[in-house]
Amino acid sequence: MSTASVPPAKGPASYFPSIERAYGRPVGEWLDLVRASPLTRHGALVTWLKTAHGMGHGHANAVVAYVRGEGGAA
């Protein structure tokens, strides 16, 4: 299958390839971390990813926004 037939990711998911490159972990692990966190506020989750895991603001925001957009617990 050629990549031309696959539409580019939009919204928070568009950050996923660079998140995996930057932090060397599959994006699914980051999503699971946020889903499992006892924190519930968007800003608190972003700050936690930044301080506890060294993630940049844009990447942390994208992960949290994605999880919150799927109607998950976060």
Side-chain angles (χ1 to χ4, degrees):
M1 173 185 237
S2 93
T3 57
S5 64
V6 177
K10 294 185 181 194
S14 67
Y15 286 84
F16 291 176
S18 63
I19 289 170
E20 289 181 340
R21 282 192 305 275
Y23 308 106
R25 296 171 71 174
V27 75
E29 288 183 20
W30 295 110
L31 299 174
D32 289 343
L33 276 173
V34 171
R35 290 180 189 121
S37 173
L39 302 171
T40 57
R41 295 184 57 122
H42 183 100
L45 286 160
V46 170
T47 299
W48 172 67
L49 286 173
K50 290 167 58 177
T51 58
H53 298 284
M55 190 173 267
H57 182 80
H59 288 159
N61 189 60
V63 169
V64 173
Y66 185 85
V67 171
R68 291 176 62 91
E70 54 182 30

